[in-house]
Each structure stands twice: as C-alpha cells, then as structure tokens.
C-alpha cells in the first residue's frame, strides 16, 4: 500500500505574502517527490518540511511565469552544494530548458547530478511502473499545462483460502502472487488472477496550474480523487479572472462538480485574500467537498478501492 | 539628523536554512532603501519587515552567484504587479544586465517603472547629495565587488548667539544657515560658516560581499563605523575558506582591527552553523566590538560626531 501525501509548499499567486509563498505543490509517493511548480522560496519550504534534496524527485513546471519557476535555480544550486548524485528530470514547456541553461551558465552553476529536461506537450508525458503523468494545455496568457498523476491499477484483494486450496505454501510465494506475479507449485503454474479479486483502481490527482476553466479540462480531470485548482479570485473579481486568465473559486467548484471530482483543493490565492474563507464558502455552495490550501498543509490521499 | 538603520534580510551563505534566508542587507536612510544583494526570498523578507515595494530604492549586487541575485527577478515582478512607478537603479557587474534582461524576456516580465542598470567598476559608482557609494573588486571566484556607503560631512553645530549677534532673526533664516545656505539680512550676506562650528563627519558603512581578506580591503574599509563582512566559516575550516574564496570570522576580525572599524558585523554563515557563537567568540578575541547577524536583525547607526 503506497502512501501518498500532497504537501503544499506555496499557495500565493504572483506576489508572496507574510503567510504564503509562491506556487509549489509536492506529491510524496513511495519515497519519491513529484514537485509541481517551483516558485521562489521552494527550496526553503522543502527544508522546512524536511523533504530533503537527495531523494528521487521529478519536477513538473506548468508555465514560465517567474512565480512558478524561479525557485528552480536555487533548488538546483542547493542540490549541487549538497552533492546530489541522483538524476533530476524536469518537465515543462520548451522555453524552460532555455531558462535553466542560460541561468546555469550566467550564474556559474554546475550540477553534481544529471539534470535532464523533457519538453511537455499534450498526452502522456511520463510512464512509470506504478503511475503515469498526463498533460493538457492550460488556458492561460502564455503556453502552459495542467497535469494529472494517474496511478495504475493495483492487484486485487488476495484470497488466502484460494491459495491454500491450490497448494501454494504461505510465505514468499503468497507475496509474489499478491504483487501480481505467477508462481510455480509442484510443476503447476498458479496465476495471480486465480487467487486475487478484481484489480483495484489507483488514485488520480489533478493539478491545474494557472488557467481559465474550460470544457476540455472537465474531461481531463474526470473522476479525480483530488483536484488542485486555480482559485485566484472570488466571484466579485470575475472580470479580473477573465482578464488575467485565472479562475474564481466558484468556477473551480463548477468544473470540479462537472468532472465528478471527489475532493477539490483551492489554491493560488490572490495576495488580497488574507482570509480565504470567502473563496471556500463560494466553492462549497457548489461542490460538497472543498478545502482551501495553506502553506505546509499536508493531505493524505487514501485508496478509495 | 538622518536616521540610518541596517536591516539584515538574509544571512545564510549558498544554501538557506530554516532560520536564515539568502544574502541581502538593506540600509534604510532618510526613507530611501539601499539594498545590497538580493538573494532568493528577498521580496518576502521585505514584506515581512514592512519596507514596501514603492519607495525610493537602489540595488547593489556584489556578484553573480544565484544566492546573491536570484531574488531580483521576483522583486522586479512584484514591484510591477503592485504598479511601482518610481525608477529603480540596479548596480552590479556587467553580466547582471544580461541576467536581468534575458529573464525578463523569457519570463514575460514587463516593468511598470523605469529599470536602469549601472555597470560597476572600481571607484565612486554613485554620487548623491548626501552620500556616495564606492566600490572595490572583491577577492572571490568570479568578478565581484565590495561596497562602501560614505555620507558626506554635515554642516557643523549651530551657534544661536552668533546668529543673533549678526542680526539674523530666529526662524526660517536660522534653519537655512543650519542647512548650510547663506542668507541675506538687511542687505548683508551672512555665511553659514559665521554661525556654524566645524563640519561634522558622516557615517561610513562597508559591505564586503563574498571575499577573501586582502590588504587592499583594509584600506578601502578604513575607519568604517560599521563593517559587514563575509564570515562563512570558523577557523576550523580555514582550508575551505581559502578553497571557496570566503573568509573566516577570525580573518574578518583581523581585517576590521587593522582598518580601525568601530563595529564589525559578521554575516553570510555556512549552513553548518545553526549556532554562530563559535564564530562570534573567535572574532571577539581579536576585535573588541563584534555582532553576529541574524535574519531581521535591525541595527541603528548613530552619528559619532
């Protein structure tokens, strides 16, 4: 059972406040850190949360506004100062590669680890054993992407009585079957599906980055267990949301409702909201399960199946 | 009497810690903010200290390592978001201009205010009515500068009895004389030196940036009221100080003693020092008046004359 935690490292939009840093959301999954955006100050938030600079890690940048990617420079510098050896993959729009390369050169920044860049376009951008990452274009003022972390199905429930009936001795062979591998018992192959129930669904987490709501995003975020969505403004500033290509809390909730999202988390708040209750209230009138993020909020994501 | 405060916005070297942000020192003088270096997170420290983004301000960058200049990007972005109109002058090595221009372009960052860059070389780099800024090359791994803020002499003490004897009526004309301007009394010119004592010295503040100690710096920082100096290591790591071209607390104190500095402030501490007492103690054995900086430490600098 892989533990999964969402850790908010920065929840302010554009300008930080005393209480909120710039955009960054970490998902800690089986010891790996998946970082969505790296606003200024992210390395300090990582230190504060004790997440470490040497762990398995990937970074996904939504778009090239400074409040979403400037923190990458300090993050890369500190990883090198601390002698990181583990490769780091950074995913983002094509120009992110220029941003990193130019700044590393002018700031005399060498890495102690392989730094790999992957240009993002719509579709599956990463395929791992247990999960994949999908991307879709955001509706923002510059090229940007929304991301989806989709866990692959886990093997179904294990039935010990079925294993016993087939003569599989308790121990290593059981755990192999539980993990989905066939085993050999007195010259007979026992296949996992003979002792397991139906495969169980993985978890799906959506991250909007900066975007207007859009019909296509409803489909992209369909049935998310958790959707973290741009909620820069309350409805009072609907005109600003349209002008600056962000969403209101109400729009985030409407989209989450249509997409049958189980839990909506509002983030990326305009600095004008010292208190985000007004945003939370307007979203709650539409969607039954909403949280407003704060810096250093940690959400455990359980399996639903 | 112009008030002068030194405000430490970041006191860690290279990597931030839970307690210390990256390099930045502000001097607040007659409502103007002089910022020496702008490490990642500086805009948030400015917010925390209530210094504001719209005031008269100049930035002096010592060198182009990320921990000394990356925070400029977020600072410029936030100033624009908040619609700053006051021009901002940024002083630094030639490549700083490329750093700013490239990043503004790739991050789609427009300013709402005139942003002017001044390339620094040795000598007087800024001449204002009441002070000037001088620069000297630092002894570091890349091109870098140490800076000196030197206030010009103030008019001497005012003697009311002399003014009365010369027939100058109390009020506006007295204040003109006190400020160093001649006045006309019944067709006679009264010159300020007739009613004032000797001109009084201004204050001198030195900021080292990242540097090894050097004979030339002793002369540059001669008779500083306050010297803020690179104290990355304790003497235990003298070899690292040499290798990385920084100073130990002991070396900072030796230089300050030779330069007849009145108050030495240690800063730019390696992240290994959660407690800086070891650095302070080794400096105090050499110089009689030493402080170790912390983030958000505020030092008022009185006139000594």
């Amino acid at each position: 059972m892989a533990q999964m935690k969402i850790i908010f490292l920065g929840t302010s939009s554009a300008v930080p406040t005393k209480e909120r840093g710039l955009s960054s959301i970490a998902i800690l999954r089986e010891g790996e850190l998946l970082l969505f955006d790296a606003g200024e100050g992210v390395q300090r938030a990582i230190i504060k949360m004790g997440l470490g600079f040497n762990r398995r890690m990937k970074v996904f940048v939504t778009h090239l506004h400074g409040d979403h990617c400037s923190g990458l420079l300090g993050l890369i510098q500190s990883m090198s100062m601390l002698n990181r050896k583990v490769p780091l993959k950074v995913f983002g729009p094509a120009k992110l590669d220029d941003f990193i390369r130019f700044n590393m050169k002018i700031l005399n920044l060498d890495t102690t680890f392989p730094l790999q860049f992957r240009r993002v376009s719509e579709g599956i951008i990463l395929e791992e054993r247990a999960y994949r990452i999908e991307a879709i274009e955001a509706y923002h003022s510059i090229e940007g992407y929304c991301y989806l972390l989709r866990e692959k199905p886990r093997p179904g429930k294990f039935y010990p009585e079925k294993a016993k009936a087939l003569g599989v001795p308790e121990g290593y062979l059981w755990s192999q079957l539980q993990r989905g591998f066939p085993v050999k018992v007195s010259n007979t192959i026992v296949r996992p599906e003979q002792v397991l129930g139906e495969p169980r669904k993985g978890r799906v987490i959506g991250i909007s980055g900066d975007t207007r709501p859009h019909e296509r995003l409803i489909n992209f975020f369909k049935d998310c267990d958790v959707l973290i969505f741009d909620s820069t403004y309350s409805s009072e500033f609907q005109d600003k949301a349209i002008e600056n290509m962000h969403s209101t809390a109400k729009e985030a909730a409407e989209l989450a409702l249509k997409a049958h999202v189980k839990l909506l988390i509002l983030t990326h708040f305009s600095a004008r909201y010292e208190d985000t209750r007004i945003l939370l209230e307007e979203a709650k009138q539409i969607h039954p399960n909403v949280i407003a993020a704060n810096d250093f909020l940690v959400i455990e994501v359980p399996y639903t199946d």
Side-chain angles (χ1 to χ4, degrees), chain A residues 154-209:
Chain A
R154 293 167 294 137
K157 191 174 180 304
F158 177 68
Y159 294 97
E161 61 282 12
K162 291 188 180 177
K164 279 181 195 159
L166 290 163
V168 187
E170 197 171 343
Y172 177 69
L173 295 182
W174 281 25
S175 76
Q176 284 296 91
L177 286 165
Q178 283 172 329
R179 291 169 59 208
F181 297 110
V183 300
K184 198 171 181 182
V185 181
S186 23
N187 285 325
T188 310
I189 299 291
V190 176
R191 283 166 292 110
E193 51 272 32
Q194 293 178 274
V195 298
L196 298 179
E198 286 293 300
R200 289 172 290 186
K201 283 192 296 184
R203 293 158 289 194
V204 186
I205 315 291
I207 293 126
S208 77

Side-chain angles (χ1 to χ4, degrees), chain A residues 189-253:
Chain A
I189 299 291
V190 176
R191 283 166 292 110
E193 51 272 32
Q194 293 178 274
V195 298
L196 298 179
E198 286 293 300
R200 289 172 290 186
K201 283 192 296 184
R203 293 158 289 194
V204 186
I205 315 291
I207 293 126
S208 77
D210 289 9
T211 190
R212 290 284 308 141
H214 192 279
E215 206 63 35
R216 288 187 77 213
L217 301 186
I218 298 171
N219 193 48
F220 183 72
F221 290 128
K222 197 143 220 85
D223 298 325
C224 274
D225 293 289
V226 181
L227 174 60
I228 302 158
F229 207 90
D230 180 331
S231 306
T232 310
Y233 302 104
S234 64
S235 295
E236 189 192 348
F237 296 101
Q238 179 69 62
D239 53 338
K240 278 197 177 294
I242 292 167
E243 184 189 338
N244 299 324
M245 301 203 74
H246 288 294
S247 300
T248 66
K250 183 174 175 230
E251 288 174 324

Side-chain angles (χ1 to χ4, degrees), chain A residues 10-68:
Chain A
T11 60
S12 192
S13 104
V15 179
T17 69
K18 280 188 190 176
E19 304 301 329
R20 298 180 189 275
L22 293 172
S23 286
S24 186
I25 299 160
I27 299 182
L28 187 60
R29 189 193 168 282
E30 285 203 77
E32 184 181 34
L33 197 67
L34 305 173
L35 195 65
F36 294 86
D37 283 328
E40 183 180 357
V42 66
Q43 62 168 326
R44 220 170 159 194
I46 286 175
I47 291 168
K48 175 154 178 164
M49 297 306 280
L51 294 169
F53 288 133
N54 293 314
R55 69 164 71 231
R56 276 188 301 134
M57 187 167 165
K58 298 185 179 77
V59 183
F60 304 87
V61 170
T62 60
H63 66 298
L64 247 73
H65 280 153
D67 53 313
H68 289 255

